[in-house]
Amino acid sequence: MIIDGKKAAADLRADLKKKIAELKSTYNAVPGLTVLLVGEDPPSKIYVKNKEKFAKEVGMNSEVIRYPENIEETVVLSKIRELNNNDKVSGILVQLPLPKHIDKRKVIETILPGKDVDGFHPINVGNLSSGYDSSIPCTPLGCYLLLKKVEKNLNGKHAIMIGRSNLNGKPMTQLLLKENCTVTIVHSKTKDLKAECSRADIIIAAVGKPKLVKGDWVKKGAIVIDVGINKTDSGLVGDVDFDEVSKIAKAITPVPGGVGPMTIACLLNNTVECFKKVQSK
Ligand code: GUN
């Protein structure tokens, strides 16, 4: 089975569009997402454009604030403080990577946790790891939703998380633990990646190494979620060798068309959740 992330994302957006229309009639207001983009990084520009497009499509207020590469950190921080105090803004996202002269940590920690639609603020990270209500980072949330489409009950499954980043590996591990998986985190210093992978019922690959996971690394019937987006001479490929692994796995996400489309849909979902929390206070 090939897991269709494009369809899952379209379904989620259709759901959100309905929810937003209902919220509008209840509160006479809609969720608002503001994205800050610093500089000219080409992939970031594409991501931000898509975020804006889909936010509008589901009926949100959507705003993108663009700054030149050499903008001073203080300007970005004071804009974030202004947005924190703006009731029309439910969610704030600062597109990463940022130029070196801007302190990413300071930026993330300036966003109000209740408007942190990325789930990167330490308060949200802490709440997620304590099992409390929190914003969940969009990419792992997308992986989680796709995984649950294939397998409702993850109790006791052995999951391998390849990669330990703050963006993916660590939050994904928390989501898997919440589902009662036994989780092994593997990374670049792990001794025998192949042996670790071949024991897993679930493999999540998020390391940015083209076609790292081979067919003979995967147990028959495993579920494989590929977060990798790697540009190669032969086009865009994931961290999983799709041709080999799709013959062995029970279900696998393709690249492109798997996790990627889910990420923005999950961002919109997080923005709606932030809006709802404010309204129900
Ligand atoms: N750049 C690449 N992925 C992400 C993400 O999930 N959030 C933000 N803010 N920037 C990114």
Side-chain angles (χ1 to χ4, degrees):
M1 171 196 180
I2 294 169
I3 305 167
D4 189 346
K6 230 171 151 173
K7 181 177 184 305
D11 290 349
L12 178 52
R13 288 197 306 272
D15 223 42
L16 291 170
K17 192 172 179 171
K18 245 191 255 161
K19 258 191 207 160
I20 290 167
E22 285 165 18
L23 290 168
K24 190 175 179 178
S25 69
T26 309
Y27 300 109
N28 197 27
V30 293
L33 172 66
T34 299
V35 176
L36 277 68
L37 172 64
V38 181
E40 302 289 330
D41 177 50
S44 291
K45 281 165 86 172
I46 297 170
Y47 289 140
V48 168
K49 213 172 186 167
N50 284 328
K51 284 169 186 173
E52 186 179 25
K53 176 185 142 197
F54 286 122
K56 283 188 175 146
E57 197 185 285
V58 297
M60 278 182 195
N61 286 329
S62 169
E63 180 191 25
V64 178
I65 299 170
R66 293 180 171 83
Y67 291 115
E69 183 84 18
N70 62 356
I71 192 77
E72 278 184 45
E73 183 187 88
T74 50
V75 176
V76 178
L77 296 180
S78 58
K79 176 53 80 177
I80 293 171
R81 289 190 196 102
E82 182 192 314
L83 296 168
N84 283 343
N85 291 316
N86 182 345
D87 290 344
K88 290 207 164 67
V89 176
S90 323
I92 303 167
L93 180 142
V94 179
Q95 186 67 27
L96 303 176
L98 286 166
K100 282 198 178 63
H101 69 278
I102 298 180
D103 183 344
K104 180 175 85 176
R105 181 173 174 187
K106 236 190 235 173
V107 166
I108 289 171
E109 293 184 6
T110 301
I111 299 171
L112 208 65
K115 295 194 179 191
D116 167 34
V117 280
D118 262 324
F120 293 166
H121 192 289
I123 297 247
N124 282 319
V125 176
N127 279 339
L128 178 63
S129 74
S130 300
Y132 301 141
D133 186 37
S134 72
S135 274
I136 298 167
C138 307
T139 304
L141 179 58
C143 293
Y144 170 80
L145 294 175
L146 292 179
L147 185 56
K148 289 286 277 187
K149 274 191 187 294
V150 180
E151 192 80 60
K152 285 244 156 15
N153 184 1
L154 302 177
N155 252 326
K157 299 274 185 208
H158 188 182
I160 292 277
M161 179 67 234
I162 310 177
R164 54 178 157 175
S165 71
N166 291 338
L167 228 74
N168 293 305
K170 285 179 197 156
M172 189 67 212
T173 300
Q174 299 300 341
L175 296 176
L176 293 165
L177 282 174
K178 250 186 172 172
E179 290 290 321
N180 299 315
C181 289
T182 300
V183 190
T184 304
I185 307 169
V186 297
H187 47 75
S188 54
K189 302 289 184 289
T190 297
K191 290 264 161 43
D192 193 344
L193 215 51
K194 179 180 170 183
E196 297 291 347
C197 277
S198 46
R199 291 189 288 126
D201 304 307
I202 297 162
I203 298 175
I204 319 275
V207 274
K209 291 208 168 128
K211 298 189 182 185
L212 172 76
V213 178
K214 302 291 177 198
D216 61 355
W217 290 30
V218 177
K219 187 164 85 175
K220 198 163 171 49
I223 303 170
V224 181
I225 308 284
D226 190 351
V227 183
I229 302 175
N230 308 293
K231 264 190 191 155
T232 68
D233 292 341
S234 52
L236 223 54
V237 300
D239 292 347
V240 177
D241 190 323
F242 183 86
D243 292 339
E244 287 186 20
V245 175
S246 57
K247 294 188 183 96
I248 295 146
K250 167 177 159 184
I252 182 170
T253 59
V255 177
V259 175
M262 282 300 281
T263 306
I264 295 181
C266 288
L267 168 68
L268 304 176
N269 178 76
N270 287 354
T271 309
V272 170
E273 290 304 311
C274 287
F275 174 86
K276 278 166 53 185
K277 274 178 209 151
V278 170
Q279 297 299 332
S280 62
K281 263 185 194 158

